[in-house]
Structures are given as structure tokens and as C-alpha cells.
Amino acid sequence: MAASCSTIVFIMTVFALATSISATEYIVGDQNGWSLDFDYQTWTKDKVFYVGDKLVFNYAPGVHNVMKVDGTAFQQCITSSSNGTLTSGRDIITLQTPGRKWYICGFGKHCELRNMKLAITVQAMSPAPSPSTSSTLSVSTTYGFVVALFSGLPLFLV
């Protein structure tokens, strides 16, 4: 029984490792960063966000911030002290749950008048890449790693 539990824990650990390897880091706004008068809605159009991906907000500290808000606060650009306000100038948010996510700048009227607001939808899991994608090397390396680990261990299946 202990051997099968160890095998299950091992498989779950390998799965978590493979999932973390496939996570994508998005620089919000690309080279523009988190800035005034940028069209974040257009920026998100060709992107699919998954649990485990990271959003990186780059901006000048003391000039902007990042606030996670709900849908109503996003639409109305409402800020409150209960929001988790990030202020480092390089804030990294790991997307941990699927669903809609909303972020605004809480400085002045940056959200209301200068378009500093980002809304995304996070998907539950990243699909397995097709063999024709550029990620084939990392996926096959990950699976090669898993095969190498399994080949040296006896499997106890119940």
C-alpha cells in the first residue's frame, strides 16, 4: 500500500512539474508595459490565458499601480482599500484559478480616462501541444524526463 501511495505522489509531482514548465509569462502591454492610453483589449485578443500562466505588469513605481478588482469595479473604475494593491513597478501575478480576472490602475483617473484596465479570461488547463508546434522540444524533453525516471523505478500499481 505504501509503495502505491509513493507512486501516486511521484506521478502527481511529475504532472505538476510538467504543468509548470508549460506556463507562459505575459508582459502586460508588451514593450509598452502597464501605461496610459494603451489598448489592452486589443492586446488580449490573440492570447489564451491558462491557470499557471503569469502576468507581469511593468511600470514606473509611484506613478501607477495594479489593483485586482471584480467586474463591477472594473466597469466603473472603483478602487477601495480592500483591493490587493501592487506597487513594485514589476508586479508578477500567477493565474491560479480559471474564470474572469480584472485589473485596473488606481492612480488618479488612469482607469477612467486613460484606459489602464485589463480584463482576461483564464482557462482551466493548457491543451497538449501538437507535434508541429515550437514547444515540441520542451514537451518531449519533459516526457523523456518522466520516462527516464520511470525506467529506473519499479511501478507498484494496485
Side-chain angles (χ1 to χ4, degrees):
M1 179 72 167
S4 64
C5 287
S6 297
T7 302
I8 291 169
V9 169
F10 175 75
I11 290 170
M12 291 173 59
T13 302
V14 170
F15 178 75
L17 175 65
T19 302
S20 67
I21 290 172
S22 66
T24 301
E25 186 173 275
Y26 292 97
I27 306 298
V28 175
D30 297 324
Q31 68 275 6
N32 295 297
W34 186 232
S35 61
L36 299 171
D37 305 317
F38 185 81
D39 187 349
Y40 294 100
Q41 184 175 346
T42 298
W43 179 79
T44 62
K45 273 193 176 185
D46 64 343
K47 294 171 180 58
V48 179
F49 301 94
Y50 294 99
V51 169
D53 288 350
K54 296 175 191 276
L55 299 177
V56 180
F57 290 84
N58 291 323
Y59 58 92
V63 177
H64 302 298
N65 61 25
V66 178
M67 302 179 92
K68 183 176 182 181
V69 295
D70 64 20
T72 301
F74 176 82
Q75 291 297 326
Q76 299 174 9
C77 291
I78 297 170
T79 61
S80 77
S81 60
S82 65
N83 294 328
T85 304
L86 305 173
T87 60
S88 75
R90 181 167 167 75
D91 303 321
I92 301 172
I93 297 172
T94 302
L95 303 173
Q96 298 181 348
T97 58
R100 293 289 287 163
K101 311 293 179 204
W102 301 273
Y103 306 93
I104 64 173
C105 178
F107 267 75
K109 301 269 186 194
H110 293 184
C111 176
E112 293 171 278
L113 303 176
R114 306 298 296 272
N115 204 38
M116 285 191 74
K117 53 198 298 187
L118 171 70
I120 64 171
T121 301
V122 179
Q123 305 297 317
M125 293 179 85
S126 179
S130 67
S132 63
T133 65
S134 61
S135 61
T136 301
L137 178 61
S138 65
V139 171
S140 62
T141 302
T142 302
Y143 290 126
F145 173 71
V146 171
V147 169
L149 287 174
F150 277 123
S151 66
L153 295 173
L155 291 178
F156 300 95
L157 300 176
V158 177

